[in-house]
């Protein structure tokens, strides 16, 4: 049997071509460009997560409960000093007053104040009924023109137990809008002035787009970015936002003043369904609209 023979010289001659055909191909890739092209949304979300400010936790003796009225999409907020039992409620709704009073009783609190951020046009306040059910006092801005046990202005403080709320005048949605800040807890209750990715309309109740914009930017967006924002309404199921978020993603309030005014002037919103009943009732703190049981 004959075996094919290959000379050592010819074998070495073929070696370079074999090496060239089997060697891996290396290329230089710009990693940042690759990520930006392949997944810009992923890159944006990663950058946002890295810059999202750390939330300030509530202190152990601070009670917070967010409540909801489905018909008007209104948020009410029950806040309390757990040790003293003193409590306040922000933006109560008439139809939910019995629910709120029962919750206060169940938790062993004493309701000190029923506070409104402004004179609402889409629902009747529950302040009047809560006064009757719990003995609390009603609170609203003096500039609102509504009746209340206590009228407040910017710089006033509302105390419950060892906790307190600082009042900020933020007119624009109405001429009597107030926002309520609790610095120790890192939060602000903005009423209709700042909503989650939106803001209140400015075409009635002496509203002013310019005033709303300037108050938001000078008084709310100037707060620490990790402050939670709790609005009076939401229509998409969101519960809260933050100063950081709204400064970046609010589609109206991130515009220039002129652009904002143009947007607000062209919303073409329908006439509020309950305004004819709500405004007269809320001027009287809702005391004449308590249902007869």
């Amino acid at each position: 049997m004959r075996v094919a023979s290959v000379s050592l010289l010819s074998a070495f001659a073929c070696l370079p071509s074999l090496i060239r055909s089997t060697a891996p191909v290396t290329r230089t890739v710009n990693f940042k460009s690759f990520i930006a092209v392949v997944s810009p949304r992923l890159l944006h979300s990663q950058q946002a997560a890295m810059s999202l400010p750390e939330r300030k936790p509530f202190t152990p003796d601070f009670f917070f409960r967010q409540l909801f009225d489905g018909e008007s999409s209104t948020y009410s907020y029950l806040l309390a000093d757990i040790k003293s039992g003193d409590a306040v409620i922000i933006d109560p709704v008439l139809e939910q007053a019995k629910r709120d009073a029962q919750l206060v009783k169940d938790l062993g609190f004493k309701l000190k104040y029923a506070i409104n951020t402004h004179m609402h046009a889409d629902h009747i306040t529950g302040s009047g009924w809560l006064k009757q059910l719990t003995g609390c006092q009603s609170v609203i801005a003096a500039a609102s023109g509504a009746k209340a046990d206590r009228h407040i202005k910017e710089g006033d403080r509302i105390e419950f137990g060892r906790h307190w709320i600082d009042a900020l005048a933020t007119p624009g949605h109405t001429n009597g809008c107030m926002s309520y800040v609790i610095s120790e807890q890192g939060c602000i209750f903005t009423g209709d002035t700042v909503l989650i990715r939106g803001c209140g309309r400015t075409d009635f109740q002496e509203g002013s787009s310019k005033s709303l914009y300037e108050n938001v930017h000078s008084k709310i967006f100037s707060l620490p970015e990790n402050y939670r924002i709790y609005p009076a309404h939401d229509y998409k199921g969101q519960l809260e936002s933050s100063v950081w978020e709204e400064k970046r993603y609010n589609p109206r309030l991130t515009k220039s003043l002129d652009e904002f005014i143009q947007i607000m002037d062209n919303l073409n919103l329908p006439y509020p369904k309950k305004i004819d009943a709500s405004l007269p009732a809320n001027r009287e703190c809702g005391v004449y609209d308590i249902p007869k049981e």
Side-chain angles (χ1 to χ4, degrees), residues 196-264:
I196 300 171
R197 308 298 190 268
C199 65
R201 61 195 294 174
T202 58
D203 58 338
F204 62 86
Q205 288 182 264
E206 300 180 7
S208 164
S209 299
K210 182 176 185 292
S211 179
L212 188 149
Y213 185 94
E214 291 176 345
N215 280 306
V216 168
H217 280 265
S218 64
K219 296 180 181 181
I220 297 177
F221 283 0
S222 61
L223 293 170
E225 291 196 332
N226 66 345
Y227 269 40
R228 299 176 178 89
I229 288 178
Y230 293 110
H233 303 280
D234 189 76
Y235 308 97
K236 297 180 180 179
Q238 297 194 79
L239 302 178
E240 66 175 80
S241 186
S242 68
V243 172
W244 183 90
E245 288 180 60
E246 296 308 315
K247 284 173 69 172
R248 287 159 177 78
Y249 303 122
N250 191 298
R252 298 176 185 174
L253 292 164
T254 51
K255 306 296 185 183
S256 69
L257 174 59
D258 289 341
E259 289 173 316
F260 176 76
I261 292 173
Q262 185 175 11
I263 289 170
M264 300 304 290

Side-chain angles (χ1 to χ4, degrees), residues 254-285:
T254 51
K255 306 296 185 183
S256 69
L257 174 59
D258 289 341
E259 289 173 316
F260 176 76
I261 292 173
Q262 185 175 11
I263 289 170
M264 300 304 290
D265 286 347
N266 290 280
L267 290 178
N268 298 316
L269 296 172
Y271 190 72
K273 292 180 180 179
K274 283 191 156 186
I275 189 171
D276 292 330
S278 297
L279 288 185
N282 290 333
R283 286 193 186 98
E284 303 295 328
C285 193

Side-chain angles (χ1 to χ4, degrees), residues 23-64:
V25 177
T26 59
R27 294 179 182 176
T28 302
V29 178
N30 186 314
F31 182 71
K32 290 184 178 180
S33 298
F34 174 76
I35 292 294
V37 171
V38 173
S39 184
R41 291 184 179 179
L42 176 62
L43 181 62
H44 176 75
S45 66
Q46 289 175 338
Q47 290 173 338
M50 290 175 63
S51 58
L52 187 67
E54 184 177 350
R55 289 157 55 95
K56 179 185 286 189
F58 290 149
T59 59
D61 64 341
F62 178 76
F63 178 88
F64 171 93

Side-chain angles (χ1 to χ4, degrees), residues 158-219:
I158 303 168
E159 298 180 343
F160 55 106
R162 78 159 193 88
H163 300 285
W164 67 89
I165 295 168
D166 290 316
L168 276 182
T170 52
H173 169 59
T174 73
N175 63 329
C177 283
M178 279 283 184
S179 295
Y180 298 114
V181 181
I182 307 181
S183 299
E184 184 182 25
Q185 312 305 331
C187 62
I188 180 170
F189 302 86
T190 54
D192 287 18
T193 299
V194 176
L195 303 177
I196 300 171
R197 308 298 190 268
C199 65
R201 61 195 294 174
T202 58
D203 58 338
F204 62 86
Q205 288 182 264
E206 300 180 7
S208 164
S209 299
K210 182 176 185 292
S211 179
L212 188 149
Y213 185 94
E214 291 176 345
N215 280 306
V216 168
H217 280 265
S218 64
K219 296 180 181 181

Side-chain angles (χ1 to χ4, degrees), residues 82-135:
I82 292 175
K83 291 183 178 179
S84 72
D86 287 346
V88 301
I89 190 167
I90 297 174
D91 285 336
V93 176
L94 178 68
E95 289 79 4
Q96 304 299 339
K98 288 188 71 175
R99 174 202 67 184
D100 300 342
Q102 185 62 49
L103 179 59
V104 169
K105 181 180 178 181
D106 290 345
L107 296 174
F109 296 148
K110 176 177 174 55
L111 193 63
K112 191 174 180 181
Y113 296 116
I115 308 166
N116 285 288
T117 53
H118 62 292
M119 189 163 61
H120 298 274
D122 53 7
H123 68 270
I124 297 174
T125 179
S127 298
W129 201 0
L130 285 170
K131 279 162 56 71
Q132 185 181 99
L133 293 169
T134 69

